[in-house]
Amino acid sequence: MGDDEIRKALIDAAAQVFAEEGYSGTRVQSIAERAGLTTGAMYNRFSGKSELLLEALDLHTSTLVDELATAELSATDLLETVGVALLDDQSHASALLLEAFMAARREEDIADRLRPRLADERARLAKLVDADKDNGVIDRSLDTNAVVTFCQSVALGIRMLSAIDAAMPEPQEWQNVISVLLKSMAPPASPGSAAGD
């Protein structure tokens, strides 16, 4: 097994173990065993648990981010698509993100490395929101930062509720709420325009 394959095996194993046992409950030895390797192989490639958590987060969330970027969705389409998908999201990426947030409360190096990732996500969302403003889909008077913060907050909130198996709404009911919220962000109708124009 080459070095790249060993790194990937360790990162994949870390994603699984962190999702199952949580960051604080995970032992480095459990990750190495899951990957079929030794702790020495892990420490030759990673400084410890925190680096593995961040690498796993990068690997497992970049796929979703890349898929969304290539889909060329507008901000409102993205909210509708992802908003409903989050109700059912049991992915490693969601579990890892929650673990990273919890670990960041206690470990500054994780917080330091998590901030730029979230800032990148915010920048991508802000571009989509601004494009929707330019296209007349979102009211220009709404603050882009506030819209982006709302989007991230809903996504994180759903993930937190899912983590404790809270009762989730039916997908169609959730879709209805998202649709109403998105319509409320539309520009006001100009005076004299007829309904349905």
Side-chain angles (χ1 to χ4, degrees):
M1 197 184 287
D3 193 54
D4 287 346
E5 293 169 317
I6 292 172
R7 281 183 63 82
K8 174 114 173 37
L10 286 163
I11 292 169
D12 286 341
Q16 294 167 16
V17 177
F18 288 139
E20 293 165 11
E21 299 177 17
Y23 179 75
S24 61
T26 294
R27 296 174 318 134
V28 169
Q29 184 176 352
S30 299
I31 295 170
E33 286 173 0
R34 179 73 59 97
L37 298 164
T38 65
T39 55
M42 197 220 75
Y43 281 116
N44 284 338
R45 288 158 184 86
F46 300 98
S47 60
K49 258 186 357 178
S50 63
E51 187 179 2
L52 268 168
L53 174 64
L54 292 164
E55 292 288 333
L57 188 61
D58 276 351
L59 181 67
H60 289 272
T61 58
S62 64
T63 306
L64 175 61
V65 170
D66 292 342
E67 284 173 8
L68 293 174
T70 57
E72 297 181 9
L73 297 173
S74 68
T76 50
D77 290 342
L78 183 67
L79 288 173
E80 285 188 295
T81 303
V82 174
V84 173
L86 282 172
L87 287 180
D88 246 358
D89 188 10
Q90 299 298 318
S91 69
H92 287 314
S94 283
L96 287 169
L97 188 60
L98 291 177
E99 288 303 323
F101 270 95
M102 293 305 296
R105 291 182 63 226
R106 292 176 185 83
E107 297 189 31
E108 190 60 33
D109 64 322
I110 293 176
D112 288 344
R113 291 186 59 190
L114 192 55
R115 278 186 211 102
R117 288 166 174 77
L118 290 175
D120 181 55
E121 180 181 286
R122 291 180 71 81
R124 288 176 187 228
L125 282 171
K127 280 184 183 177
L128 294 175
V129 169
D130 287 340
D132 273 3
K133 285 182 175 184
D134 291 341
N135 294 328
V137 177
I138 293 178
D139 188 344
R140 286 185 174 281
S141 70
L142 292 175
D143 179 68
T144 297
N145 185 45
V147 174
V148 168
T149 300
F150 173 77
C151 296
Q152 280 189 317
S153 299
V154 169
L156 289 170
I158 288 288
R159 286 176 168 131
M160 286 185 196
L161 291 170
S162 294
I164 60 165
D165 293 324
M168 291 289 139
E170 291 297 318
Q172 186 56 52
E173 297 304 323
W174 183 241
Q175 181 71 50
N176 291 343
V177 169
I178 291 172
S179 294
V180 168
L181 288 170
L182 292 175
K183 284 177 189 166
S184 73
M185 287 194 253
S190 59
S193 68
D197 279 357

